[in-house]
């Protein structure tokens, strides 16, 4: 039983109720995607990496532990401040015990890529949610590069043993779905291969791996491909040098208090240092189309990642249609967008959401169920989600969170403006990505009771 399985065995329910206006200034925790990558690239570099603003959520802490198990020195030097002394490209050591990634698909899949280029083997494992998620999509390209897998369950599910390649080969790989995890796994394995590893994606996914590889000294070139895609070419066997990484605030975490501010009357919240990489801001685009007041100021950047201060005020929202090509830039935000859509006037149609079915839970069905039990009319039509907004939500439902942090936070946000309280069955998985969510929301004026 992994740590997060133990958490699931002792669920902690919580209820959220109609609250007065939410106000204040906050910095949500560091970006989860960048935090994982800073630890992994730090571990694959020579010399010292210093990270400030690291997300100290369970997902990222599991990646930190796995880097230690693979031979890197990883140390916490202060609140959200970490240091990594790396082993260099292809320098991972044989881990003594299985690597437990808990609830985190990103940690697990990126580390699979990094291990695939090293002449070692490692057992990958995780909690019941992660054990149910498909790994074939990662193992396929890694096997083409020379890695092998053993003891894999059907669909390559965890737990499994990955045998890294003694002589990894560079490949040209077209990702079958827009997934930064697949792209990143191939690029991380490609670090150890001689020659150029190329990934082509039809729809561009978040490019944090590419930006950070450049920051650590790799030669990597990204060009446009077709109307929405990218072609990324990485020259293998670079010497990566330890670097300083400043982790901006996570837009996917900010999404929850942002939607809360929009739907709770009279709210006005300022969010500092929010990452505004255009491959992550599809939610902000969509909310603005719905009539949301989101003002951006103090735009700046570090290591190629832009960030800004956002001021969000309660707004009258209207239903919109969200095109499928926007999905990669807001893939983790559909749950909370569906909450905003339920409070809007009119129908919101979100298209092309097939990837939601293989996240921490089947988020397409879970989102529909979350809304339905709270009196919202909603339909799943193929891969589309259709929400009938009526300007208010009856509430009164009990939401099953399915070991999924984002369902838990979305449902709690919904309760803050619903006619009747909304209850969730378990808050524990919120700690995977946003450990201070409940106290931070209370500090802004949210009413939660157990
Ligand atoms: C992530 C990529 C996305 C996203 C996940 C984080 C990453 O997954 O859902 O939360 O950091 O690369 P996919 O790449 O599978 O879409």
């Amino acid at each position: 039983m992994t740590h997060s399985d133990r958490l699931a065995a002792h669920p902690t329910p919580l209820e959220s109720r109609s609250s007065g206006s939410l106000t204040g200034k906050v910095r949500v925790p560091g970006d989860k995607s960048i935090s994982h990558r800073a630890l992994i690239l730090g571990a694959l570099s020579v010399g010292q990496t210093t990270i400030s603003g690291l997300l100290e959520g369970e997902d990222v802490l599991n990646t930190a532990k796995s880097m230690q198990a693979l031979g890197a020195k990883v140390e916490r030097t202060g609140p959200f401040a970490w240091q990594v002394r790396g082993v260099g490209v292809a320098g991972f050591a044989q881990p003594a015990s299985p690597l437990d990634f808990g609830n985190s698909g990103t940690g697990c899949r990126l580390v699979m890529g990094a291990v695939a280029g090293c002449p070692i083997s490692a057992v990958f494992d995780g909690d019941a949610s992660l054990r149910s998620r498909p790994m074939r999509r990662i193992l396929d390209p890694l096997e083409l590069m020379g890695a092998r897998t053993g003891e894999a369950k059907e669909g390559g599910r965890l737990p499994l043993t990955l045998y890294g390649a003694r002589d990894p080969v560079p490949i040209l790989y077209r990702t079958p779905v827009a997934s930064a995890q697949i792209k990143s796994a191939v690029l991380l394995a490609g670090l150890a291969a001689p020659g150029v590893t190329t990934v082509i994606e039809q729809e561009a996914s978040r490019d944090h791996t590419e930006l950070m590889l450049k920051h650590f000294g790799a030669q990597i070139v990204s060009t446009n491909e077709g109307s929405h895609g990218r072609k990324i070419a990485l020259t293998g066997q670079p010497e990566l040098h330890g670097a300083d990484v400043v982790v901006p605030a996570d837009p996917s975490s900010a999404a929850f208090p942002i939607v809360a501010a929009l739907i709770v009357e009279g709210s006005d919240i300022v969010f500092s240092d929010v990452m505004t990489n255009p491959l992550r801001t599809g939610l902000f685009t969509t909310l603005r189309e719905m009539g949301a007041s989101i003002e951006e100021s103090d735009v700046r950047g570090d290591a190629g990642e832009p960030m800004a201060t956002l001021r969000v005020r309660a707004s009258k929202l209207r239903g919109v249609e969200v095109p499928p090509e926007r999905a990669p830039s807001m893939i983790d935000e559909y749950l909370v967008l569906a909450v905003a859509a339920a409070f809007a006037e009119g129908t919101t149609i979100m298209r092309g959401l097939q990837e939601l079915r293989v996240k921490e839970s089947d988020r397409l069905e879970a989102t529909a169920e979350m809304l339905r039990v709270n009196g919202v009319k909603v339909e799943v039509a193929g891969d589309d989600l259709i929400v009938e907004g009526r300007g208010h939500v009856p509430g009164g439902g009990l939401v099953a969170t399915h070991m999924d942090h984002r369902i838990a936070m979305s449902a709690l946000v919904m309760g803050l403006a619903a006619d009747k309280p909304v209850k969730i069955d378990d808050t524990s998985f919120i700690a995977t990505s946003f450990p201070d969510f409940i106290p931070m929301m209370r500090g802004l004026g949210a009413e939660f009771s157990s």
Side-chain angles (χ1 to χ4, degrees), residues 96-132:
S97 45
L99 306 174
D100 176 7
F101 291 92
N103 197 247
S104 178
T106 307
C108 178
R109 290 168 170 157
L110 267 54
V111 176
M112 280 181 171
V115 164
C118 301
I120 59 166
S121 66
V123 178
F124 287 77
D125 205 357
D127 66 15
S129 156
L130 191 55
R131 281 183 173 199
S132 73

Side-chain angles (χ1 to χ4, degrees), residues 201 322 392 396:
E201 42 183 11
V322 189
H392 80 108

Side-chain angles (χ1 to χ4, degrees), residues 41-83:
L41 289 190
L44 290 173
S45 297
V46 173
Q48 184 165 302
T49 288
T50 60
I51 309 170
S52 60
L54 188 88
L55 166 62
E56 293 177 341
E58 284 170 16
D59 280 8
V60 173
L61 297 178
N62 281 325
T63 294
K65 279 184 212 148
S66 76
M67 291 302 105
Q68 258 162 343
L70 290 161
K73 280 204 170 58
V74 183
E75 226 188 312
R76 186 177 193 260
T77 53
F80 316 112
W82 290 66
Q83 258 176 20

Side-chain angles (χ1 to χ4, degrees), residues 31-34 36-37 105-107 109-110 133 137-138 177-184 205-206 208-209 252 280 328 331-332 355 358-360 363 405-406:
D31 186 70
K32 184 146 70 77
S33 294
I34 292 186
H36 284 297
R37 288 160 171 81
T106 307
R109 290 168 170 157
L110 267 54
R133 299 178 66 183
R137 51 174 59 195
I138 302 293
V177 286
S179 161
Q181 295 179 357
I182 302 177
K183 169 177 65 180
S184 301
S205 65
R206 64 191 70 195
H208 310 305
T209 303
S252 300
R280 292 287 297 282
I331 195 66
D332 293 332
E355 275 296 296
V358 290
K359 295 296 178 188
E360 285 84 328
R363 285 186 175 160
H405 53 136
R406 297 196 207 280

Side-chain angles (χ1 to χ4, degrees), residues 322-328 330-331 333-335 337-338 349-359 362-365 367 379-387:
V322 189
E325 64 272 13
R326 198 177 290 165
M330 54 178 297
I331 195 66
E333 279 71 74
Y334 283 99
L335 293 93
L337 175 63
I349 306 175
M350 297 163 244
R351 296 211 187 272
L353 307 189
Q354 60 278 6
E355 275 296 296
L356 290 196
R357 294 189 190 276
V358 290
K359 295 296 178 188
D362 178 343
R363 285 186 175 160
L364 200 45
E365 291 305 332
T367 306
E379 191 192 333
V380 177
D383 295 328
D384 301 342
L385 184 66
I386 304 163
V387 177

Side-chain angles (χ1 to χ4, degrees), residues 199-363:
V199 180
I200 298 178
E201 42 183 11
Q202 240 187 329
E203 305 272 349
S205 65
R206 64 191 70 195
D207 58 357
H208 310 305
T209 303
E210 297 93 300
L211 293 173
M212 205 182 287
L213 276 168
K214 206 173 274 170
H215 184 57
F216 277 74
Q219 203 186 320
I220 181 161
V221 180
S222 181
T223 46
N224 289 338
E225 177 83 9
S227 43
H228 306 290
R230 289 266 170 98
K231 177 177 180 179
I232 303 113
L234 168 74
T235 304
Q237 300 182 337
E239 181 157 281
L240 298 182
H241 295 285
D244 293 344
V245 179
V246 179
V247 184
D250 194 329
S252 300
S253 294
F256 302 101
I258 285 175
V259 168
L262 292 172
I263 63 177
V264 176
E265 225 179 287
S267 297
D268 186 346
I269 307 180
V270 174
F271 298 88
S272 52
D273 304 337
V274 180
M275 194 234 291
T276 51
N277 179 323
L279 293 169
R280 292 287 297 282
T281 49
L283 175 73
F284 302 160
T285 307
T286 306
L287 289 173
R288 284 184 174 122
E289 288 172 0
M290 295 172 81
S293 166
I294 305 176
E295 276 170 36
E296 221 170 279
S297 62
D298 193 19
V299 182
R300 59 207 192 285
D302 191 77
E305 294 288 1
M307 60 178 117
T309 299
L310 302 182
R311 180 177 180 190
V312 183
R313 280 176 279 188
S315 308
K316 275 225 156 317
L317 302 176
R318 56 183 173 271
V320 293
E321 185 165 334
V322 189
E325 64 272 13
R326 198 177 290 165
S329 68
M330 54 178 297
I331 195 66
D332 293 332
E333 279 71 74
Y334 283 99
L335 293 93
V336 79
L337 175 63
V339 171
F343 285 94
E345 292 286 353
T347 305
T348 293
I349 306 175
M350 297 163 244
R351 296 211 187 272
L353 307 189
Q354 60 278 6
E355 275 296 296
L356 290 196
R357 294 189 190 276
V358 290
K359 295 296 178 188
E360 285 84 328
S361 66
D362 178 343
R363 285 186 175 160

